[in-house]
Amino acid sequence: LRRRVQPVQRIRRTRHRAVKAEGHDRARQVVVDGLRHPHDRNPLLVQLEVPLTTVVAAVEIARRRGVLTILDPAPAPREPLLPDLWRADLISPNETEAAALTGLPVATSPHKVATALRQRGAREVVLKLGPRGAFVCSTYLIIAVVLPE
């Protein structure tokens, strides 16, 4: 089985890369590569499209270095999220992903879903609501972001 990592975008100034990856070892190297510069505080955005051990390692390294960590739990997980991933600074699921994470129906109110995610360990939540906007919930802020029609 051949493992490969294919960069899909490079952001010039930061040396961070968004990756589409197959295989554990090389994907981990590419994700972590953007975190080698401790003075660079750009956020780390991770998704569940690479092996979970890779995502956990990237989040752990980023948190140790003071980098803001954002978890976009896509694709929707079939099994419970690993406890280490709840430590991401911000979790940003869409409604389907949030339903998978909480066990609540997709039609549940955004406030109830965000509260359930925070009770599971999420520090801050940005619940993506498609054309209806987003719902932001943290310790100090609860706000609905409505898109103009």
Side-chain angles (χ1 to χ4, degrees), residues 72-90:
D72 183 347
R78 294 182 183 183
E79 297 184 15
L81 201 59
L82 296 173
D84 291 339
L85 293 179
W86 287 108
R87 289 194 301 226
D89 294 304
L90 187 143

Side-chain angles (χ1 to χ4, degrees), residues 37-125:
H37 308 287
H39 301 295
D40 187 6
R41 297 292 184 234
N42 290 316
L44 171 72
L45 171 64
V46 292
Q47 293 182 316
L48 304 180
E49 294 176 325
V50 296
L52 286 179
T53 53
T54 302
V55 176
V56 168
V59 169
E60 287 176 359
I61 291 168
R63 298 223 7 100
R64 279 197 308 261
R65 294 184 179 184
V67 174
L68 175 72
T69 54
I70 302 168
L71 172 63
D72 183 347
R78 294 182 183 183
E79 297 184 15
L81 201 59
L82 296 173
D84 291 339
L85 293 179
W86 287 108
R87 289 194 301 226
D89 294 304
L90 187 143
I91 295 179
S92 182
N94 64 28
E95 292 172 292
T96 304
E97 295 154 357
L101 292 170
T102 63
L104 296 171
V106 172
T108 304
S109 78
H111 187 266
K112 189 171 184 177
V113 171
T115 300
L117 290 167
R118 294 203 62 231
Q119 289 173 343
R120 284 168 174 73
R123 296 172 192 203
E124 301 193 19
V125 175

